[in-house]
Amino acid sequence: MNGDDTAAPSAPPPPPLEWKFSQVFGERAAGEEVQEVDIISAIEFDKSGDHLATGDRGGRVVLFERTDTKDHGGSRRDLERMDYPIRHPEFRYKTEFQSHEPEFDYLKSLEIEEKINKIRWCQTANGALFLLSTNDKTIKFWKVQEKKVKKISDMNLDPSKAVGNGSVASSSNSTSPKPYLANGGSPDRSYNYMSSDFSFPPGGIPSLRLPTATIGYQALRPAWWLDVVEFMPMHMTIISILFQITGDGETFISADDLRINLWNLEISNQSFNIVDVKPANMEDLTEVITSAEFHPTHCNMLAYSSSKGSIRLNDLRQSALCDSHSKLFEEQEAPGSRSFFTEIIASISDIKFSKDGRFILSRDYMTLKLWDINMDSGPVSTFQVHEYLRPKLCDLYENDSIFDKFECCLSGDGMRVATGSYSNLFRVFGCAPGSTEATTLEASKNPMRRQVQTPSRPSRSLSSITRVVRRGAESPGVDANGNSFDFTTKLLHLAWHPSENSIACAAANSLYMYYA
């Protein structure tokens, strides 16, 4: 030892993932017209990753369950230890039910569509699955359980002595060639079994047919629902109710444009208002709530985003009504860069906490941003998603595409982030220190056909105050193959498996699944 302090070399970033097609549900044929009610509007994995729920614009909730880990009765990690051949994640259809129906609010003269806006899984209990689903008006709490139903399905007849019901069977105990029916009757004579002079036929009854009960399953059982009609803000168009389950598994939050309310799963007729941004005069309204999320491990911490591109972190221990925030995360705009579209494209459409709660991922129209909750001076990483669309903002405003709300998600290990785009594309970025991963994939059976190589860039660290800007394939108005982007096909909804590199994404009415 010479006494010199030598810094330990940092671990190299993980290599980019090679994504492969796994499954598709609801794939449409070429030229087939997609019905509006069949378009998927929500996707959510449960905490274990063994169940997946989707909601559509027709108010239906469809559940899928994983099958590849059940064959050997263990988790993927356990199977690797036992040297079982590992297959890619496989899901199968489990059940579906009608969650919401279209309504009409006569007091406000508003049509309430049945579209499912959000789905959230709750904690399982006694072998039953619990989940919340919502449209623009009502949150419903569902219980899905396989209820055992006994049915008479067969008789315990020895198949060697009878072919079927009413077929002829021979007695093995008698040398008589005289045939008998499978139920013990004789074809030559009818016996009145209820009469007092009943006697067994000659040679005895070769076999008895007694009923046996088998257990069938009926999968859907709704528990109860929470009606929040009075929760909606006055003088405003109803938007999506957003909600997030707290760490205690008993309470959840819902949010509209102006308020965030706290609910208990066992109390459906009242809620507690924790955030209210409604001004005394509605003409003074400058921003609205766009997304809300509870901290994954600290149920007292809450983050919500606004249409001005800011994220506020609140601590429910400080005050019952969170009028003031603990931290404010927002990026200062460059001088001279303000335009008519600045506030529109800055509006945050979705936020997600990382699994450990250290980072917040936000999605606005142009970018993905990764925020460290311990550093509110600015994002630690910025990933350019739609920078190539900046010259086309006028056209996007005219056809309302600029108001599209794209979701985002993080991998379970926090090493990667993903979000959707147009032409049924989605993008995966590496956010580990020094990573240059920026992959563009298409929601199809050949996801890599639009893939382009991204040149390597200098390594950066998440802990560094220097902010990282990562760009995907960016060509003005065209994709990686030089094709024009189709703004009518958009991938808004996607979810990352909580413990594996597996992504489920929705392209219109089709659910695509990929693994790496």
Side-chain angles (χ1 to χ4, degrees):
M1 296 293 292
N2 55 8
D4 294 337
D5 294 332
T6 304
S10 59
L17 296 177
E18 295 183 7
W19 291 94
K20 300 176 183 178
F21 170 78
S22 174
Q23 287 175 283
V24 59
F25 295 94
E27 184 182 24
R28 61 183 185 274
E32 180 183 354
E33 185 177 353
V34 179
Q35 300 297 321
E36 181 77 12
V37 295
D38 294 331
I39 296 178
I40 297 174
S41 56
I43 303 179
E44 185 80 7
F45 281 104
D46 72 343
K47 188 176 181 180
S48 67
D50 291 337
H51 294 90
L52 174 67
T54 64
D56 60 28
R57 295 187 182 182
R60 292 164 298 193
V61 173
V62 183
L63 304 184
F64 302 88
E65 64 177 353
R66 188 167 179 175
T67 60
D68 60 300
T69 57
K70 292 187 176 182
D71 296 339
H72 300 292
S75 67
R76 188 181 183 93
R77 193 168 296 174
D78 294 336
L79 297 181
E80 289 175 350
R81 295 194 188 104
M82 294 185 293
D83 293 332
Y84 275 108
I86 299 300
R87 297 179 298 173
H88 63 78
E90 292 180 357
F91 285 78
R92 70 180 178 188
Y93 169 86
K94 182 177 179 67
T95 187
E96 67 179 270
F97 55 91
Q98 188 70 32
S99 176
H100 289 75
E101 300 283 355
E103 302 177 53
F104 187 81
D105 191 330
Y106 293 97
L107 293 178
K108 301 176 184 177
S109 297
L110 285 175
E111 291 185 5
I112 312 298
E113 61 179 351
E114 64 272 32
K115 171 189 171 186
I116 303 297
N117 294 323
K118 287 286 182 181
I119 296 175
R120 286 289 187 268
W121 290 91
C122 306
Q123 293 181 357
T124 59
N126 299 324
L129 303 174
F130 295 89
L131 67 157
L132 288 161
S133 63
T134 183
N135 66 347
D136 284 340
K137 178 184 177 183
T138 307
I139 304 172
K140 292 188 178 182
F141 183 38
W142 294 96
K143 175 183 179 182
V144 181
Q145 187 175 28
E146 290 184 341
K147 182 180 179 181
K148 296 181 179 180
V149 180
K150 291 185 177 181
K151 297 180 180 180
I152 304 299
S153 65
D154 197 6
M155 304 293 181
N156 62 347
L157 176 67
D158 186 352
S160 65
K161 298 181 180 181
V163 179
N165 190 14
S167 61
V168 177
S170 299
S171 172
S172 60
N173 300 325
S174 173
T175 56
S176 171
K178 189 173 183 181
Y180 292 93
L181 294 178
N183 60 4
S186 173
D188 337 2
R189 174 183 173 187
S190 62
Y191 293 90
N192 183 6
Y193 297 104
M194 300 302 295
S195 63
S196 58
D197 59 347
F198 167 75
S199 61
F200 283 92
I205 299 177
S207 60
L208 290 177
R209 297 194 64 171
L210 300 178
T212 58
T214 59
I215 297 176
Y217 292 92
Q218 192 172 4
L220 174 64
R221 283 293 178 269
W224 63 88
W225 54 90
L226 308 177
D227 192 353
V228 289
V229 178
E230 298 300 326
F231 167 69
M232 306 312 300
M234 302 296 289
H235 312 300
M236 291 198 66
T237 304
I238 294 176
I239 64 159
S240 303
I241 300 175
L242 311 166
F243 49 83
Q244 172 69 15
I245 312 296
T246 57
D248 56 18
E250 297 179 358
T251 55
F252 68 95
I253 55 170
S254 62
D256 65 357
D257 279 344
L258 303 176
R259 298 182 182 91
I260 298 178
N261 283 15
L262 182 67
W263 298 82
N264 189 292
L265 287 173
E266 297 183 358
I267 304 174
S268 62
N269 58 357
Q270 63 180 358
S271 62
F272 187 76
N273 180 238
I274 54 177
V275 176
D276 190 345
V277 299
K278 182 180 179 181
N281 185 355
M282 289 298 291
E283 294 181 357
D284 298 331
L285 183 68
T286 58
E287 63 179 334
V288 295
I289 299 169
T290 57
S291 185
E293 188 98 353
F294 259 113
H295 193 280
T297 57
H298 302 301
C299 58
N300 58 287
M301 294 179 64
L302 160 74
Y304 69 92
S305 60
S306 77
S307 57
K308 279 193 170 181
S310 61
I311 302 172
R312 291 174 172 85
L313 189 66
N314 294 64
D315 192 337
L316 299 180
R317 297 173 299 183
Q318 292 182 350
S319 64
L321 184 61
C322 300
D323 292 327
S324 59
H325 50 267
S326 302
K327 288 188 177 181
L328 176 66
F329 304 94
E330 62 180 354
E331 189 173 25
Q332 302 298 325
E333 59 183 72
S337 62
R338 188 170 185 83
S339 68
F340 173 78
F341 305 107
T342 299
E343 283 197 12
I344 300 177
I345 62 177
S347 177
I348 295 176
S349 57
D350 191 24
I351 60 172
K352 292 287 193 307
F353 272 100
S354 60
K355 193 173 183 178
D356 59 2
R358 172 68 184 274
F359 298 97
I360 299 176
L361 180 67
S362 67
R363 173 69 155 99
D364 56 46
Y365 188 74
M366 306 297 286
T367 64
L368 268 175
K369 292 185 175 72
L370 190 68
W371 306 80
D372 188 336
I373 64 172
N374 297 327
M375 189 181 77
D376 54 5
S377 59
V380 293
S381 296
T382 299
F383 309 98
Q384 300 290 351
V385 181
H386 283 163
E387 187 62 30
Y388 62 88
L389 293 178
R390 195 173 292 275
K392 297 180 174 293
L393 291 180
C394 289
D395 297 334
L396 295 167
Y397 180 80
E398 291 294 330
N399 60 24
D400 287 340
S401 294
I402 200 172
F403 301 105
D404 289 333
K405 300 182 183 300
F406 293 91
E407 294 180 359
C408 59
C409 59
L410 296 95
S411 61
D413 57 9
M415 305 292 280
R416 294 171 179 85
V417 297
T419 190
S421 183
Y422 293 105
S423 298
N424 285 340
L425 300 179
F426 65 99
R427 302 214 168 127
V428 180
F429 298 93
C431 55
S435 175
T436 58
E437 181 176 358
T439 308
T440 301
L441 304 130
E442 182 184 30
S444 67
K445 289 186 175 181
N446 184 15
M448 303 296 289
R449 69 176 184 174
R450 301 203 184 199
Q451 174 64 21
V452 294
Q453 295 296 325
T454 304
S456 59
R457 293 178 175 82
S459 299
R460 304 289 179 94
S461 172
L462 276 180
S463 60
S464 173
I465 297 181
T466 305
R467 294 157 199 166
V468 181
V469 178
R470 194 82 41 75
R471 290 176 169 81
E474 296 174 13
S475 300
V478 297
D479 62 17
N481 285 341
N483 302 317
S484 298
F485 271 93
D486 182 4
F487 297 112
T488 62
T489 57
K490 57 195 77 171
L491 199 152
L492 302 176
H493 312 286
L494 75 171
W496 202 302
H497 191 280
S499 59
E500 299 178 11
N501 287 323
S502 176
I503 292 180
C505 56
N509 66 324
S510 302
L511 176 66
Y512 287 91
M513 305 193 71
Y514 303 93
Y515 72 99

